Amino acid sequence: MESRIEVWQRGPITGVPGLLQPIAHALLEVGEQAHGIMEGFPEELLWERPAGVASPAFHLKHIRGVIDRLFTYARKGLLSAEQMQLLSLETKKEEVAPTASQLLDLLDKQITAAVDELKTVKAETLTEARGIGRRQVPTTLIGLYTHSAEHSMRHIGQLLVTTRILKGS
């Protein structure tokens, strides 16, 4: 990828509360980096798992799913049957598998929805308790938002390395 100004260096995202700017910046950066990494990537390698690591398709599906699931918990929700189904399919290549372009479109929509949701958050609610999953593992609202960004960035790094290995082999 060519040198460019990262999202966090471009200034505030309009409408996002100040304390949530780093989350919005990171999520938008994830989207941009995903597109850059996947540009020109051979479609036939999308589901390859070099040395048994996760495939590029998994990372694209997983990032979208992580954002969706963590924002559901942020809204005090439990995962729907559809979300559970999508989670179970993250590692599997479906019979009619989505293309890289389709996976990127889904990721873009998820990131846009997440940033839009951040615009509705009141800063005074960020330390409110939240629960994760059916066991309601304790966290906070800001903890969920932070982890959505951190976890997504972690998978972008893994996607970058995996795609470079696959293109080199």
Side-chain angles (χ1 to χ4, degrees):
M1 294 188 328
E2 67 181 54
S3 178
R4 63 177 182 77
I5 297 174
E6 292 186 17
V7 177
W8 69 274
Q9 296 171 315
R10 298 179 204 159
I13 307 301
T14 304
V16 174
L19 290 172
L20 296 176
Q21 287 289 326
I23 309 304
H25 287 139
L27 292 173
L28 292 167
E29 185 69 26
V30 162
E32 289 186 13
Q33 285 196 23
H35 280 271
I37 292 166
M38 297 307 295
E39 187 175 329
F41 185 76
E43 200 69 38
E44 65 274 9
L45 299 177
L46 191 58
W47 286 95
E48 291 298 313
R49 300 181 63 215
V53 301
S55 69
F58 164 79
H59 291 296
L60 293 172
K61 291 171 86 174
H62 185 67
I63 294 167
R64 176 187 170 270
V66 162
I67 296 168
D68 179 44
R69 292 187 292 274
L70 292 174
F71 273 69
T72 295
Y73 297 140
R75 292 187 300 274
K76 299 181 181 177
L78 293 176
L79 300 185
S80 68
E82 180 183 6
Q83 286 171 306
M84 295 298 287
Q85 175 70 12
L86 289 172
L87 174 60
S88 74
L89 293 174
E90 285 180 358
T91 59
K92 298 178 179 91
K93 182 178 181 181
E94 300 100 314
E95 197 169 306
V96 179
T99 65
S101 178
Q102 290 169 326
L103 291 172
L104 288 167
D105 286 345
L106 291 169
L107 178 59
D108 289 343
K109 288 176 184 164
Q110 191 66 56
I111 290 170
T112 297
V115 172
D116 286 346
E117 188 169 325
L118 291 175
K119 293 176 182 179
T120 69
V121 176
K122 305 274 186 268
E124 60 272 10
T125 66
L126 292 174
T127 58
E128 287 182 0
R130 292 292 188 272
I132 301 169
R134 305 224 184 276
R135 292 187 348 197
Q136 291 296 285
V137 174
T139 190
T140 61
L141 181 57
I142 198 164
L144 288 163
Y145 292 146
T146 300
H147 189 62
S148 73
E150 175 273 324
H151 195 87
S152 297
M153 286 300 285
R154 182 184 324 159
H155 280 277
I156 281 296
Q158 293 172 342
L159 176 66
L160 175 65
V161 171
T162 302
T163 56
R164 283 190 177 169
I165 290 168
L166 286 169
K167 284 195 266 188
S169 60

